[in-house]
Amino acid sequence: MNGDSNNSTPSEFDDDFDALRKRVITEVREGRFDSGLALLDDGIARAKAIDDIDVVDRLQLNRSSILIVRLQGDLMLRDVQAILMRSSSPLNRHLAAYNIAEINRYKDRYDRGLFYSRMGLEYADRLDDTLYAARSNNQLGVLLTVQSYFSEAIGHFEEALTLLGESLDDRVTIGYNLAYCHFSLNAPSAGFPFAFDSLRLCRRITTDSSFQHVAARLILCYGYLTIERFDRARHHGEIGLEHARALENPDAYKKALYLLGEVEKQAGDYYSSAAHFAELQREFFADDPSLVNLLMATDTLGLVNLMA
């Protein structure tokens, strides 16, 4: 979130907005999305009362970001498109293009996502703060990763780290994204330093129940699985699963179940593997009763892109 506005805003609201921004970041980081949305709704009402359209748009964009994480981004797609078209603020236009790219990514419309992500980068390049260009490069890297263009994605992630500055939150995310690409290219020695760094930073800035902490654990689970260190893979996967169950993000829960199923299958514990896959089928693929047998009988790890 960013509290700057092109309109003249009372100083007391500037202070309140900065406090609101920090509270929302904390709530979202810890997975309390409903609380974050409630805070934003209150801020939107107050910004409308003083007729500050830039702040209203900024908070609406923050609101859409939370819905995107909850796989509900389509609920605000038209609002975000309207902001992109009408706003005079380069920052709001950047954030709108970024969010539209995210919505398209979650809908598997990757070409459209790349189009809006590149547009977002163009607006980010007009801003004084390179953080936004870093985030757009990270987003471009993710959109390439989900299509298995790992080498090209690494270039964007490395550019993002160069531009990043001091944002530890973003360094965590970019780090485990880089780790995943290196693991996928069979370069574990290049991937593990990024994965360990992400987990170390997570411990500094979040609790174990944060989505970033879960993601870092699952990337380490995957990395250890690729080198057949099943004990370490199980350790990180079980921690990731424990906290993923409590989060409102179904994607982490789904990936944790799949990875642990693969860990136990490759380790030879077929009963535990089938139990994880059965939970995966029950929670996410209720209309596919053959899924457990398929996953037990087929080596899918090399075929599944965990970022997709």
Side-chain angles (χ1 to χ4, degrees):
M1 293 176 60
N2 188 303
D4 295 336
S5 172
N6 293 334
N7 293 337
S8 178
T9 306
S11 59
E12 62 268 21
F13 188 76
D14 284 341
D15 293 339
D16 288 348
F17 180 76
D18 187 58
L20 171 66
R21 177 187 63 83
K22 291 176 181 177
R23 288 177 64 193
V24 171
I25 288 172
T26 297
E27 294 302 299
V28 171
R29 180 186 289 161
E30 303 302 331
R32 296 187 291 269
F33 299 119
D34 287 337
S35 177
L37 289 170
L39 289 168
L40 288 169
D41 288 341
D42 178 66
I44 289 167
R46 292 164 55 209
K48 285 181 176 178
I50 61 170
D51 198 29
D52 192 327
I53 188 61
D54 280 349
V55 172
V56 171
D57 285 348
R58 192 77 43 80
L59 294 174
Q60 291 280 21
L61 290 165
N62 297 149
R63 194 178 194 282
S64 73
S65 296
I66 296 178
L67 292 177
I68 288 167
V69 173
R70 298 180 69 171
L71 307 182
Q72 298 172 320
D74 274 352
L75 295 176
M76 288 191 65
L77 178 57
R78 289 186 179 180
D79 295 323
V80 177
Q81 289 172 327
I83 293 171
L84 177 62
M85 295 296 293
R86 73 161 186 268
S87 179
S88 61
S89 164
L91 177 54
N92 283 351
R93 286 191 168 185
H94 157 74
L95 295 173
Y98 183 98
N99 284 5
I100 294 170
E102 286 292 277
I103 291 168
N104 280 293
R105 174 167 74 91
Y106 281 110
K107 292 293 184 181
D108 300 335
R109 299 188 291 250
Y110 301 134
D111 288 343
R112 199 175 303 177
L114 284 168
F115 172 81
Y116 282 102
S117 186
R118 290 181 177 120
M119 182 187 297
L121 181 57
E122 289 178 9
Y123 286 116
D125 286 338
R126 303 179 191 181
L127 303 171
D128 292 333
D129 192 341
T130 60
L131 174 63
Y132 301 103
R135 289 175 175 170
S136 283
N137 271 287
N138 178 65
Q139 185 183 61
L140 283 166
V142 170
L143 284 160
L144 292 166
T145 299
V146 298
Q147 299 176 82
S148 298
Y149 298 132
F150 300 117
S151 296
E152 191 174 349
I154 285 172
H156 282 287
F157 292 139
E158 290 176 342
E159 176 68 10
L161 284 179
T162 300
L163 295 168
L164 193 54
E166 298 300 320
S167 174
L168 297 185
D169 276 317
D170 293 274
R171 192 167 297 278
V172 167
T173 303
I174 296 166
Y176 60 63
N177 287 341
L178 268 167
Y180 179 72
C181 286
H182 285 301
F183 292 147
S184 298
L185 290 171
N186 297 315
S189 61
F192 276 111
F194 289 112
F196 290 139
D197 190 52
S198 284
L199 183 59
R200 178 182 60 81
L201 290 175
C202 273
R203 288 168 169 164
R204 287 178 55 188
I205 64 175
T206 73
T207 66
D208 287 353
S209 61
S210 73
F211 175 73
Q212 284 184 310
H213 185 266
V214 171
R217 290 288 187 180
L218 296 183
I219 293 301
L220 276 166
C221 174
Y222 175 69
Y224 278 118
L225 181 55
T226 64
I227 62 171
E228 299 184 352
R229 285 289 306 278
F230 303 127
D231 54 339
R232 300 306 300 160
R234 182 183 299 110
H235 170 74
H236 290 290
E238 288 178 345
I239 294 174
L241 177 61
E242 176 187 354
H243 296 296
R245 284 193 176 110
L247 288 172
E248 297 178 63
N249 188 319
D251 193 49
Y253 182 24
K254 183 192 306 181
K255 289 173 181 175
L257 289 171
Y258 171 73
L259 282 170
L260 279 170
E262 283 294 317
V263 169
E264 301 300 357
K265 182 176 71 175
Q266 294 193 32
D269 186 344
Y270 300 115
Y271 178 82
S272 295
S273 177
H276 287 304
F277 288 147
E279 185 176 350
L280 177 68
Q281 187 270 330
R282 183 174 63 253
E283 295 293 331
F284 297 101
F285 303 98
D287 58 346
D288 187 0
S290 65
L291 181 67
V292 176
N293 289 336
L294 174 66
L295 291 174
M296 291 298 296
T298 309
D299 181 10
T300 60
L301 188 62
L303 305 175
V304 172
N305 187 327
L306 295 174
M307 298 282 281

